[in-house]
Amino acid sequence: MFEYAPAPESRDIVDIRPSYGLFIGGEWVDPQGEDRHKTVNPATEEVLAEVAWAGEADVDRAVQAATKAFPVWSAMPGAERAKYLFRIARIIQERSRELAVLETLDNGKPIREARDVDLPLVAAHFFYYAGWADKLAYAGFGENPRPLGVAGQVIPWNFPLLMLAWKIAPALACGNTVVLKPAETTPLTGLAFAEICRQAELPPGVVNIVTGAGETGAALVNHPGVDKVAFTGSTEVGRLIARSLAGTSKKLTLELGGKAANIVFEDAPLDQAVEGIVNGIFFNQGHVCCAGSRLLVQESVAAELLEALKRRLGTLRLGDPMDKNTDIGAINSAEQLARIRELTESGEAEGAERWSPACPIPDRGYWFPPTVFTGVAQSHRIAREEIFGPVLSVLTFRTPAEAVEKANNTPYGLSAGVWTEKGSLMLWTASKLRAGVVWSNTFNRFDPTSPFGGYKESGYGREGGRHGLEAYLAV
Amino acid sequence: MTTPLAAAKFDGVASSPSTLRAFLHGLPGVDRVGADARAAMLGTRSIKTTAKKQAIDTAIAMVDLTTLEGADTPGKVRAMCAKAVRPDPTDASVPPVAAVCVYPDLVATAVEALAGSGVKVASVATSFPSGRSSLEVKTAETRLAVAAGAAEIDMVIDRGAFLAGDYLKVYEEIVATKEACGEAHLKVILETGELATYDNVRRASWLAMIAGADFIKTSTGKVSPAATLPVTLVMLEAVRDFLAVTGRKVGVKPAGGIRTTKDAIKYLVLVNETAGPDWLHPDWFRLGASSLLNDLLMQRQKMATGRYAGPDYFTLD
């Protein structure tokens, strides 16, 4: 046997303060209320820091700071704004190891993913939109497209820093100022980003970061000084926001849940399809809105593919997220773990067959083993509802038409994957799928140049690419 | 020899050019981007402390220490054999390598130098490295090498025939060479750098295995690129799947371009997580290399003493 010795990344590189205030107008300020919240490492349940929960008065202060900064920032030549964004991108690269460790500690994701996926994409996003800042006249939105004003942005806990980058980079490139609220369980990299803004000497008030939970988010999106709201999170909260913003002049983009189909045809490159399935649903513990949570496999190769998939899942390494060889980290919170448990229990109760590889689970922290359900029907909850965990539902199909029909038979439409070596079938299938992203012989690949967003209940608006500028311009 | 089960499974596959072609082209395709990404991900495994020590000794015991130069002499081969038996003269705990690999005319010299050591003698044959000769010459060369005492034959396939779609010719040459080997183990060199696509690598792997190969080997070392991680990944998938279908286990040997301990460890990780730990043995996995051995020794000594010694503290051969 070849046992890999523990290879833990050092946490000495990060300096976590015992307590954090709010980042408003370029300064750390104390909240007006006493409300504070502890953020924990989900792998150990150790308290990492105490964070302020901003109330309405704090949010108001942040929006005012952003409003005050807007005239200067929006009037600045694009090339000047680009300099700041390039500077931020370079600082992120320089501090990427530190930020990756911090992300892993606060979120529970494996350090390998934070290091090799999250951080490179975060930097790439800032570099990409820095490039647009002085070329907005050529983006196809008119000769002199204007920014909207103050953007209120609320982001989720699954990719804390990456979602921040998706929100802040295009907003700033277009000349908006922002107030951003990180998720309540993962505020630390957002607060580290506030420090980066200071390091980059970004003008005060251009970026404001207010921590808190749902009430803070509600105060932000409903604040009358906010001109644009961008939200990534659950469909349930997205609906609330859409309802409360209806009839206002605020511009809204929503990036919500998903229940993506990963379609494997019989002529697929099977070994790579197995990797794509694993990457589709077990990447980031399945805490991915575009996760390939429904595997649709052609019946003629289903047995062979499932055998290969199970063998592959036996090699996944679950455990200490700080170990460089860990593939599956911790579930982000006790609350999320309870939701995954509840849904998987319903899967069994509704008659699907549950399987997990032999996989020791650590004593402390929040963990869930990689899980595969076979014999799943379209009517089962585990085929319809977003689980947001490392749980794959396997369904079969007989013909391409049936695959497309099943794939589209969901209220969601964020992403899909198609696996075939036949180009004509790939193009036909992709053209029929109602999903914002269709991956061809791959899954969960992201690039700042590529627009990302949903159909139906997965939300509206696009982030990334040239399309991502539109949400932050008066067009 | 193929087992009766294996033979039965593929009975008829090689009965005509069209059946063989249909079989090979019916194998699942390989997506290059995905295979490259998987190999690169496995390359990020961090092998430290006890695991690194274990990996270094495993790698040393898997080395096929190789010299395949026009300038090879009996003296050079004898010196290399001494190194093979006792890689580090200052440290008896270092295991010997698996085999030495030489040209056929130097097999006798190597056999004599290695007598009683347990280190095997492998010989290239079949008009290595190009394979551009008649079948008669190839089998005659194989027989000469075996007669001189080679325990392992590293043959090359006819890449020209393979690329021209004449799979049956390649198959028949492997079968004939296997027969000429007698008891000697047959390693079939695919020369993946000339096959170019991963689909071809998978097809050539299966072709070699159904024709009776005991090992499939990436490269001669004379063509660039030689061994790469993704190509080796595709070959490891092939031996894994072949075992599942036939019950017969085939070994894998990447050769050429593996120069550092870090590289060697990446290959071991690839084996461990693709074919599985059962392949982590010199009977089933070899590393064809020459300069790699001294880097392994240097890293081994560094692990033991905490300090690096200069290259002059490790013998050239």
Side-chain angles (χ1 to χ4, degrees):
Chain A
M1 241 351 245
F2 184 23
E3 295 285 356
Y4 304 159
E9 176 62 272
S10 165
R11 66 177 285 176
D12 296 345
I13 193 168
V14 298
D15 185 15
I16 303 175
R17 284 191 249 153
S19 112
Y20 289 86
L22 308 169
F23 185 70
I24 296 174
E27 301 293 333
W28 291 106
V29 302
D30 286 327
Q32 303 214 335
E34 294 297 309
D35 208 3
R36 300 188 82 79
H37 179 76
K38 292 178 170 63
T39 184
V40 302
N41 177 345
T44 60
E45 299 175 54
E46 162 209 7
V47 173
L48 294 169
E50 214 176 54
V51 176
W53 280 28
E56 274 185 37
D58 303 308
V59 169
D60 181 53
R61 202 170 156 192
V63 173
Q64 282 183 30
T67 307
K68 195 175 156 208
F70 178 68
V72 174
W73 183 250
S74 58
M76 198 181 277
E80 292 301 310
R81 286 200 304 273
K83 284 183 191 170
Y84 287 103
L85 289 170
F86 279 123
R87 199 180 293 164
I88 288 170
R90 283 195 302 270
I91 295 171
I92 287 168
Q93 283 189 321
E94 282 159 16
R95 295 175 63 174
S96 64
R97 189 161 158 225
E98 173 196 347
L99 293 166
V101 168
L102 191 57
E103 196 77 304
T104 288
L105 289 173
D106 203 18
N107 170 279
K109 66 174 68 204
I111 186 70
R112 174 170 67 75
E113 290 178 4
R115 177 195 69 194
D116 295 346
V117 182
D118 292 50
L119 263 299
L121 282 169
V122 170
H125 233 83
F126 277 100
F127 277 118
Y128 175 75
Y129 278 110
W132 269 119
D134 63 347
K135 303 173 191 72
L136 296 173
Y138 311 100
F141 304 113
E143 274 178 35
N144 186 23
R146 302 305 306 154
L148 295 164
V150 176
Q153 306 175 319
V154 178
I155 58 170
W157 45 262
N158 57 344
F159 294 95
L161 197 58
L162 182 57
M163 290 301 105
L164 174 149
W166 280 28
K167 295 281 180 284
I168 291 184
L172 262 47
C174 293
N176 304 276
T177 56
V178 309
V179 180
L180 177 130
K181 186 195 87 67
E184 65 250 45
T185 60
T186 55
L188 294 184
T189 46
L191 295 166
F193 181 80
E195 282 297 339
I196 290 173
C197 292
R198 281 165 65 112
Q199 203 182 337
E201 294 173 7
L202 193 69
V206 172
V207 168
N208 304 276
I209 298 195
V210 291
T211 44
E215 296 80 45
T216 312
L220 177 57
V221 301
N222 292 320
H223 193 288
V226 166
D227 303 290
K228 148 81 192 169
V229 171
F231 172 76
T232 296
S234 71
T235 297
E236 189 188 343
V237 175
R239 262 197 209 102
L240 286 175
I241 295 175
R243 193 174 298 142
S244 64
L245 263 56
T248 71
S249 63
K250 290 176 191 171
K251 217 171 154 177
L252 175 63
T253 45
L254 297 171
E255 200 266 88
L256 309 174
K259 192 73 190 174
N262 203 356
I263 303 171
V264 180
F265 287 108
E266 60 189 356
D267 65 348
L270 288 183
D271 285 302
Q272 287 72 49
V274 166
E275 291 308 318
I277 295 162
V278 170
N279 196 41
I281 186 63
F282 301 115
F283 170 61
N284 205 34
Q285 297 73 249
H287 299 331
V288 185
C289 45
C290 53
S293 51
R294 287 184 298 150
L295 171 62
L296 294 176
V297 54
Q298 197 153 12
E299 266 191 62
S300 53
V301 287
E304 189 184 342
L305 183 81
L306 280 177
E307 192 190 326
L309 179 64
K310 287 180 176 177
R311 181 181 59 217
R312 173 69 176 85
L313 297 187
T315 69
L316 286 176
R317 308 169 66 86
L318 178 145
D320 180 8
M322 289 288 278
D323 192 306
K324 293 174 203 160
N325 294 326
T326 291
D327 298 319
I328 309 269
I331 300 302
N332 181 249
S333 65
E335 190 190 353
Q336 185 58 27
L337 181 59
R339 175 169 168 77
I340 297 168
R341 283 193 176 137
E342 193 264 316
L343 270 161
T344 47
E345 277 157 21
S346 88
E348 277 182 298
E350 288 185 310
E353 193 183 328
R354 179 183 187 148
W355 181 90
S356 285
C359 175
I361 301 288
D363 301 329
R364 291 184 63 85
Y366 317 126
W367 305 91
F368 199 84
T371 299
V372 175
F373 276 101
T374 49
V376 179
Q378 286 284 104
S379 59
H380 292 168
R381 279 183 72 199
I382 53 169
R384 292 182 291 122
E385 295 182 27
E386 184 175 42
I387 299 173
F388 224 64
V391 182
L392 179 69
S393 298
V394 182
L395 299 93
T396 59
F397 66 88
R398 294 158 297 176
T399 64
E402 187 185 1
V404 166
E405 203 175 14
K406 281 184 164 167
N408 286 337
N409 182 215
T410 164
Y412 295 111
L414 194 51
S415 69
V418 185
W419 296 83
T420 170
E421 288 276 277
K422 189 166 174 149
S424 55
L425 179 60
M426 177 68 76
L427 294 171
W428 180 86
T429 310
S431 72
K432 300 286 179 203
L433 288 170
R434 292 201 301 272
V437 178
V438 179
W439 280 294
S440 159
N441 286 342
T442 188
F443 211 97
N444 275 344
R445 281 294 190 107
F446 305 98
D447 191 288
T449 65
S450 175
F452 184 95
Y455 278 49
K456 301 188 276 184
E457 286 191 21
S458 290
Y460 42 78
R462 291 293 179 266
E463 293 182 296
R466 186 188 68 82
H467 306 68
L469 297 166
E470 191 179 349
Y472 293 97
L473 292 171
V475 290
Chain B
M1 290 298 287
T2 51
T3 62
L5 178 64
K9 276 277 183 192
F10 295 104
D11 203 21
V13 161
S15 62
S16 77
S18 60
T19 52
L20 188 55
R21 181 186 175 83
F23 171 76
L24 295 175
H25 285 254
L27 293 165
V30 186
D31 184 83
R32 176 174 282 264
V33 175
D36 286 347
R38 174 66 177 152
M41 183 265 134
L42 288 173
T44 71
R45 291 290 192 219
S46 180
I47 305 302
K48 301 289 180 206
T49 61
T50 51
K52 188 173 178 183
K53 273 185 189 166
Q54 186 196 353
I56 289 173
D57 280 6
T58 307
I60 292 172
M62 287 174 167
V63 167
D64 276 6
L65 198 58
T66 302
T67 184
L68 295 167
E69 301 296 334
D72 285 346
T73 59
K76 161 79 183 169
V77 169
R78 276 193 288 270
M80 191 180 75
C81 290
K83 176 93 175 170
V85 176
R86 188 77 190 270
D88 185 346
T90 66
D91 187 349
S93 70
V94 178
V97 304
V100 299
C101 185
V102 295
Y103 271 117
D105 60 326
L106 289 163
V107 168
T109 308
V111 168
E112 192 189 332
L114 292 171
S117 70
V119 176
K120 297 187 171 76
V121 177
S123 172
V124 296
T126 70
S127 300
F128 180 95
S130 70
R132 300 249 66 83
S133 190
S134 68
L135 182 58
E136 288 74 17
V137 170
K138 292 179 184 179
T139 50
E141 193 186 19
T142 305
R143 285 197 188 87
L144 284 171
V146 173
E152 301 176 354
I153 296 295
D154 290 26
M155 73 169 286
V156 291
I157 66 164
D158 182 342
R159 283 87 73 189
F162 185 93
L163 292 170
D166 192 354
Y167 302 126
L168 197 57
K169 182 172 185 216
V170 182
Y171 175 87
E172 283 167 351
E173 284 198 358
I174 298 170
V175 170
T177 309
K178 174 73 184 166
E179 197 195 327
C181 280
E183 292 299 306
H185 265 232
L186 178 64
K187 303 197 198 98
V188 177
I189 303 173
L190 310 179
E191 196 65 300
T192 53
E194 290 184 347
L195 301 184
T197 71
Y198 295 169
D199 286 327
N200 276 345
V201 172
R202 173 165 287 175
R203 289 172 190 148
S205 298
W206 278 84
L207 183 61
M209 292 188 295
I210 61 177
D214 298 299
F215 256 77
I216 49 177
K217 175 175 168 183
T218 59
S219 324
T220 59
K222 307 291 183 194
V223 165
S224 183
T228 67
L229 287 170
V231 155
T232 308
L233 172 74
V234 171
M235 291 167 67
L236 286 163
E237 288 164 356
V239 297
R240 176 198 69 198
D241 295 344
F242 188 75
L243 175 70
V245 174
T246 65
R248 188 168 83 87
K249 194 168 166 187
V250 174
V252 176
K253 176 179 170 184
I258 308 166
R259 294 193 180 87
T260 65
T261 301
K262 208 170 181 169
D263 286 343
I265 290 175
K266 285 182 186 180
Y267 280 96
L268 299 189
V269 166
L270 204 62
V271 174
N272 193 39
E273 299 198 34
T274 308
D278 290 352
W279 261 267
L280 280 175
H281 187 277
D283 285 352
W284 304 110
F285 195 74
R286 296 280 181 86
L287 295 159
S290 43
S291 60
L292 168 66
L293 183 58
N294 268 1
D295 194 64
L296 288 165
L297 296 174
M298 200 184 284
Q299 293 295 335
R300 193 180 191 277
Q301 202 180 83
K302 160 72 167 47
M303 298 287 295
T305 65
R307 285 180 297 277
Y308 280 113
D312 287 346
Y313 293 85
F314 300 92
T315 59
L316 280 176
D317 51 25

